[in-house]
Amino acid sequence: MSAAVSAAAAAACCSSKSSGTTTSRTTTTAARTHHSMLFSSPQASIQSPVVSFGRYEAQKRRDWDTFMQYLSQHRPPLALSRCSGAHVLEFLKYLDQFGKTKVHAQSCPLFGHAHAPAPCRCPMMQAWGSLDALVGRLRAAYEENGGQPEINPFSARAVRLYLRDVRDVQAEARGMIGYDQKKTRKNNYMPHHIQQQEQYYD
């Protein structure tokens, strides 16, 4: 009987030691984990979200920053709330000095040539396609930055007419058929109700 009790006591002692060792190891591991969480660098514990912008959004932000810088350098400085279609036209004409499209004057011997065979002194201007896309991006950026659609200066009628004039002048300077001539030819074969819809959007 005493031998059985001694064996049971020894087994209980070994089990207690094993349990104590396991508990000690678990406690130590938990303490180390808690310590590393407290003193780890914020960069390692907090991952900032990565915001990726598409090419269109990135270009729209750059265009908006450029326009806002133009307003701040305006003399006198011009607030966005007071910006009108006339100021948008000033901005578009200001950009012509950075243009890369040769626009021949009617007095130029190369007027009407799509691919000029010789250089001339006609000015370089912004291409109509570039200006049209720019106005579209700025129109969207204006409303995204709190502007009201009904007073959007980039939607002004004067801006639309200016872009149309630039398109026609550049097309004639390159010897291309004008938009109005294309429209006239197309309308000859177009139902009347479709013509009315196109006149509405113009």
Side-chain angles (χ1 to χ4, degrees):
M1 183 69 180
S2 59
V5 172
S6 299
C13 182
C14 291
S15 176
S16 176
K17 287 182 180 180
S18 176
S19 176
T21 302
T22 303
T23 303
S24 177
R25 290 177 180 175
T26 304
T27 304
T28 303
T29 303
R32 289 178 179 176
T33 303
H34 181 66
H35 182 274
S36 62
M37 292 177 62
L38 287 177
F39 296 98
S40 60
S41 61
Q43 291 80 3
S45 59
I46 302 177
Q47 295 182 355
S48 58
V50 178
V51 181
S52 59
F53 294 95
R55 181 178 300 178
Y56 172 81
E57 293 296 329
Q59 185 62 51
K60 183 170 62 176
R61 291 180 61 188
R62 288 194 295 268
D63 294 337
W64 183 251
D65 292 341
T66 301
F67 181 70
M68 295 303 295
Q69 184 179 4
Y70 172 80
L71 294 183
S72 64
Q73 296 177 354
H74 192 274
R75 293 294 176 267
L78 184 64
L80 180 62
S81 58
R82 302 189 63 182
C83 181
S84 65
H87 298 114
V88 174
L89 294 183
E90 292 179 3
F91 175 67
L92 297 180
K93 294 176 182 178
Y94 159 79
L95 294 178
D96 274 336
Q97 62 182 310
F98 309 108
K100 299 180 180 179
T101 299
K102 177 76 70 173
V103 180
H104 300 290
Q106 291 185 355
S107 58
C108 178
L110 302 178
F111 180 80
H113 291 271
H115 304 285
C120 66
R121 303 184 63 179
C122 292
M124 305 287 284
M125 303 178 66
Q126 292 286 344
W128 165 78
S130 299
L131 291 179
D132 186 60
L134 171 66
V135 170
R137 291 191 296 267
L138 290 176
R139 185 189 303 117
Y142 176 85
E143 298 179 8
E144 291 174 0
N145 285 272
Q148 299 297 323
E150 55 271 13
I151 59 173
N152 192 328
F154 300 98
S155 300
R157 184 172 184 271
V159 176
R160 297 198 305 270
L161 292 178
Y162 175 78
L163 290 175
R164 181 179 300 180
D165 290 342
V166 171
R167 177 195 60 198
D168 294 343
V169 168
Q170 293 187 5
E172 292 177 2
R174 299 185 59 191
M176 301 173 62
I177 184 172
Y179 173 79
D180 292 335
Q181 297 178 13
K182 283 184 177 180
K183 185 177 179 181
T184 302
R185 291 183 180 181
K186 183 174 63 174
N187 286 345
N188 292 335
Y189 304 95
M190 187 181 298
H192 181 68
H193 70 283
I194 301 296
Q195 296 182 21
Q196 290 181 338
Q197 292 180 2
E198 290 213 341
Q199 290 175 1
Y200 172 79
Y201 286 112
D202 288 343

